[in-house]
Amino acid sequence: MPIDSVSKTTHSYSRRVKPTRRLRFGVRCVLLSAFLWPFSVQASAEYRVGAGDQLEILVFGVPELQRRTPVQPDGTISFPLLGTLTVAGRPLPEIRARIKAALASKVYRQRTSSGSEQAIVIGIDEITVTVAEYRPIYVKGGVAKAGEYPFRPSMTVRKAVALSGGYDILPVKISNPYLDTADFRGEYEALWLEFAKQQARVWRLKAELEGRDVDDHTVSQKIPVDAPISRVMIAQIVNLATDQLVTRRADHERQEAFLKQSIEQMDKRIETMSQREAQEKQGAASDTQDLERIATLHANRTLVHSRLIEARRNVLLSVTRNLETTAELMQLRQQKTDLERQLDRLADTRSITLLKELEDATVRLGEVRSKLQSVGEKLRYTAMAKAQFADGDQKRPVITVHRRDSAGGQKQVVDEAFELQPGDVVEIAVGR
């Protein structure tokens, strides 16, 4: 083979080899960067303890050295055998290593129940350091319930928004239009039931005052046809009102019949006592005439003195019986008057009670009607919100996370999957 052909072949081969080696080197760099990327992200996102966190330090076997210690505003904690230690701005593994190194091999004198002391040498494997409670996060802006919320590991913006009641998509505070619609719908139906109940009560009281029966058709006409309440339920409410009317009317009639019967019995007793009074008056008058006749004869000395004494005794007894009968008759007449007053008062008291109940029922009916209008308006607003959700007309919320770090503070626009850290301030801006 000629030398020039060999040189051409070698040159073409070298041109083919160099790009291949470069490609392999690039692939290796990409793979290496892909392998190291999670570790770099994890290292950059490593949580650093800050003021407001609570560290729990436990030394096994020593209850006195098992406690929670808060991180003070100056970034320090206080613990027995440690004194004051600066921990703010440091990751937990570093803090754990420093506390273990400071407490390991130290001697703690523990007092026993007998009063003696025993020396305990603290081992490095007996020390545990964890974050017992993180400082809270704060949510503000376009949410239903802005404020402070406890932080939990792996908390995202989506979870924080859920804790705060959801996005505020309308000028009125609505956490979730679908859930609120269900709540308002249930309240709306319950109010219609109350409306039907009060309407039946009003007509029942009017019927009881006027002495007539409850008209099922009249009550049903007061309930609109499009009301979310079945006619069967309305019929049941009317039947209950009718049963109550019958029961109360029967009770009133029993009381009235009892008083009338008592008055009739009293009339009979008064009639009997009046006849007895008349007879005793006649007897007393007859005994008085006998006494006068016997007194005249005694004055003429035709009768003995004992006969006069007996006549006087008879007159005294007759008059006494007559007075007792008269007093008893007056008492019976007074009792009859009281019964008649009770009968009149029974009707008056019933009318007053019914009028008061009718007034209360009318007021309650007006309150229910007002609440129905209010809940109906809320349902219309939530229907508008649901339409926005369904049609996708609402703007996506702008989420900004404010975070303080060693460099001061920073803010970042994130999405709902962004993972939060303790102390973050989540600001929500919802387009209207």
Side-chain angles (χ1 to χ4, degrees):
M1 179 180 296
I3 295 177
D4 55 348
S5 62
V6 174
S7 62
K8 292 181 180 179
T9 305
T10 304
H11 180 67
S12 61
Y13 174 76
S14 63
R15 283 188 298 178
R16 290 196 303 269
V17 169
K18 287 181 181 179
T20 304
R21 289 178 179 176
R22 292 174 182 173
L23 179 60
R24 291 177 181 176
F25 179 78
V27 171
R28 290 175 182 175
C29 292
V30 171
L31 292 177
L32 181 59
S33 62
F35 177 77
L36 294 178
W37 180 77
F39 297 97
S40 63
V41 172
Q42 182 177 0
S44 63
E46 187 175 19
Y47 175 65
R48 295 179 181 272
V49 174
D53 291 335
Q54 288 195 15
L55 299 182
E56 186 173 28
I57 304 176
L58 304 177
V59 178
F60 179 75
V62 185
E64 294 81 1
L65 297 181
Q66 299 179 358
R67 64 181 64 182
R68 290 186 177 186
T69 175
V71 181
Q72 302 299 325
D74 59 357
T76 62
I77 63 171
S78 299
F79 195 78
L81 302 181
L82 283 179
T84 302
L85 184 65
T86 301
V87 297
R90 302 177 184 273
L92 183 60
E94 180 182 343
I95 298 172
R96 184 182 295 116
R98 292 183 62 190
I99 293 176
K100 286 187 174 183
L103 290 178
S105 302
K106 285 196 174 183
V107 178
Y108 180 78
R109 297 187 177 277
Q110 186 180 38
R111 186 175 296 276
T112 62
S113 58
S114 62
S116 60
E117 291 185 352
Q118 66 177 31
I120 299 177
V121 180
I122 301 175
I124 191 171
D125 295 333
E126 298 173 347
I127 304 170
T128 303
V129 181
T130 57
V131 180
E133 184 176 343
Y134 295 93
R135 58 186 183 274
I137 63 168
Y138 303 88
V139 183
K140 68 176 185 176
V143 291
K145 295 180 292 183
E148 174 185 312
Y149 294 95
F151 175 82
R152 295 291 182 268
S154 302
M155 175 175 281
T156 60
V157 172
R158 183 179 293 107
K159 295 179 181 178
V161 172
L163 285 175
S164 58
Y167 296 116
D168 177 18
I169 60 174
L170 289 176
V172 293
K173 298 297 182 181
I174 299 180
S175 57
N176 187 318
Y178 290 94
L179 296 180
D180 286 344
T181 299
D183 294 339
F184 291 148
R185 177 63 61 183
E187 184 179 359
Y188 191 68
E189 294 178 359
L191 286 173
W192 269 114
L193 285 174
E194 182 67 18
F195 181 83
K197 176 183 174 182
Q198 295 301 327
Q199 189 67 63
R201 183 186 178 194
V202 168
W203 280 96
R204 190 257 302 170
L205 292 172
K206 289 182 178 180
E208 194 170 355
L209 278 170
E210 299 172 2
R212 56 181 176 80
D213 295 332
V214 177
D215 188 359
D216 188 0
H217 180 68
T218 304
V219 176
S220 300
Q221 285 181 343
K222 294 293 181 179
I223 310 298
V225 179
D226 57 347
I229 177 173
S230 64
R231 296 296 153 177
V232 176
M233 181 63 67
I234 295 176
Q236 292 179 356
I237 293 175
V238 173
N239 290 336
L240 290 175
T242 303
D243 294 341
Q244 190 174 5
L245 172 64
V246 172
T247 302
R248 293 183 57 165
R249 183 176 292 172
D251 181 68
H252 173 73
E253 291 175 353
R254 283 196 298 268
Q255 294 182 10
E256 187 177 18
F258 174 76
L259 291 175
K260 289 181 178 180
Q261 184 179 3
S262 299
I263 292 173
E264 291 178 359
Q265 293 177 355
M266 197 62 64
D267 287 335
K268 293 180 181 179
R269 292 182 62 185
I270 290 174
E271 183 181 359
T272 302
M273 194 62 63
S274 297
Q275 294 176 0
R276 179 180 172 183
E277 183 187 26
Q279 293 175 359
E280 289 180 353
K281 282 183 178 180
Q282 293 178 359
S286 177
D287 290 340
T288 301
Q289 292 177 0
D290 290 344
L291 176 61
E292 292 175 353
R293 183 176 57 79
I294 291 174
T296 303
L297 295 176
H298 180 268
N300 297 329
R301 299 181 180 277
T302 58
L303 287 178
V304 296
H305 185 69
S306 59
R307 185 74 180 85
L308 178 62
I309 293 174
E310 182 179 359
R312 289 176 178 175
R313 185 182 299 110
N314 291 335
V315 171
L316 181 61
L317 291 174
S318 298
V319 172
T320 301
R321 286 195 301 269
N322 187 21
L323 290 175
E324 291 177 350
T325 303
T326 302
E328 187 174 357
L329 180 60
M330 292 177 63
Q331 185 177 4
L332 291 175
R333 287 173 177 169
Q334 182 63 38
Q335 291 179 1
K336 177 186 176 182
T337 303
D338 293 340
L339 289 173
E340 290 174 347
R341 289 178 180 176
Q342 290 182 17
L343 184 60
D344 295 338
R345 194 181 301 116
L346 178 65
D348 295 339
T349 302
R350 177 172 177 266
S351 299
I352 293 173
T353 303
L354 289 175
L355 289 174
K356 183 63 173 62
E357 291 181 2
L358 181 60
E359 179 184 5
D360 295 340
T362 304
V363 172
R364 177 58 182 164
L365 189 63
E367 293 176 353
V368 173
R369 186 181 287 108
S370 299
K371 289 183 178 179
L372 276 172
Q373 294 177 355
S374 175
V375 175
E377 293 177 359
K378 291 179 181 179
L379 280 173
R380 285 192 291 272
Y381 277 118
T382 53
M384 292 169 54
K386 285 175 63 178
Q388 288 184 0
F389 272 113
D391 298 339
D393 293 338
Q394 76 282 0
K395 298 180 181 179
R396 294 184 61 83
V398 178
I399 305 170
T400 305
V401 173
H402 301 263
R403 178 175 298 173
R404 295 186 62 86
D405 53 16
S406 58
Q410 60 176 348
K411 64 178 182 179
Q412 181 181 359
V413 178
V414 300
D415 58 8
E416 291 184 343
F418 182 79
E419 190 167 337
L420 299 173
Q421 287 190 4
D424 284 350
V425 177
V426 182
E427 183 177 1
I428 308 294
V430 180
R432 305 237 182 238

